[in-house]
Amino acid sequence: MGVIRIHNLRFHTFNGVLPEERRNGQQLAIDVALTYPIEARVQHDELNETISYADVRETIDTFVNTHSYKLIESLANELLKKILTDYPTTTHVNLKIRKYSVPMPGIFDDVEIEVAGDQVVNNQVLGSLASGDEK
């Protein structure tokens, strides 16, 4: 099973618990991995045989820039649902979101959360954590 990955998409967002986070915003970075049967589906070098990563990037961009949450966990959960809905040929999606300006003491680069989900069709799970997804 193949995996299409986009690393380190950057967005200035207005997510956060504190009023200044929601007012001033902060940078988030997103990684997404979509499991897709590339080996079986891509046979003729045609874009319609695969998942367009340009379309995936646009989906993420539009969603992140039109939704605001207190928790990046909520952003991740809702974005995961959106990707699974919009790209039904993917069998599994793994999503990581990093927040750089976290209002807590200490020296660190970022805080990262990770969510994953499988495509379900007719009550049958099409993907799994063993589907080639990176940890």
Side-chain angles (χ1 to χ4, degrees):
M1 189 70 68
V3 180
I4 298 168
R5 291 187 178 91
I6 305 173
H7 293 279
N8 218 26
L9 292 167
R10 299 283 183 123
F11 303 96
H12 185 82
T13 71
F14 297 90
N15 297 285
V17 174
L18 300 178
E20 56 269 18
E21 290 181 289
R22 296 176 74 76
R23 182 178 55 250
N24 300 331
Q26 72 275 309
Q27 186 178 170
L28 295 182
I30 297 177
D31 299 339
V32 62
L34 296 92
T35 303
Y36 178 75
I38 295 169
E39 303 85 351
R41 297 273 181 103
V42 179
Q43 299 296 315
H44 304 100
D45 198 31
E46 297 292 334
L47 182 59
N48 65 357
E49 295 179 328
T50 190
I51 296 171
S52 165
Y53 41 85
D55 290 349
V56 173
R57 188 216 57 85
E58 179 63 32
T59 297
I60 294 170
D61 183 273
T62 299
F63 189 89
V64 168
N65 286 304
T66 58
H67 293 79
S68 180
Y69 299 93
K70 292 179 182 174
L71 304 175
I72 59 172
E73 292 86 345
S74 297
L75 171 63
N77 284 334
E78 295 306 314
L79 180 55
L80 177 66
K81 291 176 195 173
K82 175 73 172 159
I83 294 169
L84 285 166
T85 299
D86 286 7
Y87 301 93
T89 56
T90 189
T91 59
H92 181 80
V93 175
N94 181 276
L95 192 62
K96 296 177 185 178
I97 300 181
R98 286 177 299 287
K99 184 175 180 177
Y100 295 94
S101 299
V102 180
M104 68 180 188
I107 299 171
F108 56 93
D109 291 335
D110 57 64
V111 172
E112 180 180 85
I113 61 96
E114 181 173 357
V115 295
D118 294 323
Q119 195 66 260
V120 178
V121 177
N122 298 325
N123 294 321
Q124 180 179 353
V125 176
L126 299 183
S128 73
L129 289 178
S131 63
D133 192 0
E134 73 177 2
K135 280 288 185 189

